[in-house]
Amino acid sequence: MISHGEGFVIRHRSGRYLCSDIRSRGFEGGQPILPLEFCWFLVGNPFAAPFIYKAEPYHRMLATPEWQDVADQFDVVPGPGCAVCGERGGIMWGEEGGYRCDKHKDRNPCAIEGCKRTRAAGNAGLASDQYLCGEHWRKYVPPRSRLRRLYHAHFRRGKREGWTMKRNRQFHRFWDFVVRVARKRHNGGFIDEAEINRIMGWG
């Protein structure tokens, strides 16, 4: 999973992105050409917003007197990119948090930051937390661990009792927890049995 693409963009608190254009007020033949002026507007597509490679120029711009009345409505955020490879440009697929380049338009990445392994999105749709690749599954949910045993127990109960709406909700809640544990362990965190019980409401 790649959390963002290149550079930085400016996002409004409405969730839209700051975009700019250059325009002229117009002039008639023989008249001096008037200075060009910037026109600012908001767009829903973050890939339409201009991005820069360092955030500081945007921070300086928002700190100028011209922006002081509205600067608190904007944030400088990492530019979007394909969640699989980080690329931007060309045709981009998906929505906020699930963008894909044309090459990966029907693929989901491993949930671990920086991993570029993928699998087909299928009926699950585009998401960045539905899959752990084989390497990270074995590393963070190892065989005979409590998490691995609980994972298999969910499937045994589902096969025995049927996959009801309640069973599906329980499994998705458990899977979200597995992903959180894997990501925390990947980032050097440690989760003991007591914390597993607390988070899952078992103890």
Side-chain angles (χ1 to χ4, degrees):
M1 179 187 73
I2 306 297
S3 60
H4 55 80
E6 294 179 299
F8 296 87
V9 295
I10 298 178
R11 185 175 62 202
H12 187 253
R13 64 186 178 192
S14 66
R16 294 176 293 170
Y17 296 83
L18 189 65
C19 198
S20 63
D21 199 0
I22 299 175
R23 66 183 181 188
S24 168
R25 297 177 185 174
F27 60 93
E28 296 181 5
Q31 291 184 335
I33 299 175
L34 297 173
L36 299 176
E37 60 183 18
F38 272 100
C39 172
W40 298 98
F41 53 95
L42 298 176
V43 294
N45 179 3
F47 294 98
F51 77 96
I52 56 177
Y53 286 100
K54 292 185 178 180
E56 187 54 36
Y58 273 156
H59 286 299
R60 287 199 303 268
M61 183 189 83
L62 293 174
T64 60
E66 293 85 356
W67 288 88
Q68 64 181 1
D69 293 336
V70 295
D72 62 341
Q73 299 178 24
F74 295 94
D75 292 303
V76 179
V77 298
C82 174
V84 175
C85 65
E87 293 296 319
R88 60 177 288 148
I91 299 174
M92 299 299 293
W93 303 82
E95 298 176 349
E96 183 75 32
Y99 295 112
R100 303 288 188 274
C101 66
D102 195 51
K103 178 182 176 182
H104 296 116
K105 65 183 179 183
D106 58 353
R107 308 293 296 177
N108 278 337
C110 174
I112 300 301
E113 176 73 25
C115 183
K116 295 184 179 181
R117 296 183 184 92
T118 69
R119 74 173 181 187
N123 294 332
L126 298 182
S128 296
D129 58 0
Q130 298 298 304
Y131 157 65
L132 286 170
C133 71
E135 176 188 346
H136 291 119
W137 175 250
R138 290 187 297 272
K139 186 173 183 179
Y140 300 127
V141 190
R144 294 178 294 281
S145 66
R146 187 175 187 199
L147 276 182
R148 182 75 73 96
R149 294 197 308 270
L150 289 169
Y151 176 84
H152 290 303
H154 271 281
F155 278 94
R156 286 195 298 271
R157 283 196 299 270
K159 185 175 181 179
R160 184 173 64 247
E161 303 170 9
W163 284 96
T164 62
M165 289 290 289
K166 180 180 179 182
R167 180 74 60 211
N168 275 316
R169 285 195 300 270
Q170 288 174 338
F171 176 75
H172 286 298
R173 179 182 172 207
F174 173 71
W175 178 255
D176 290 343
F177 171 70
V178 169
V179 170
R180 290 200 307 273
V181 169
R183 286 173 171 171
K184 185 168 183 177
R185 287 175 173 168
H186 180 73
N187 291 321
F190 173 75
I191 296 182
D192 60 16
E193 294 290 314
E195 188 169 358
I196 291 175
N197 290 334
R198 180 183 61 78
I199 293 175
M200 293 302 294
W202 293 330

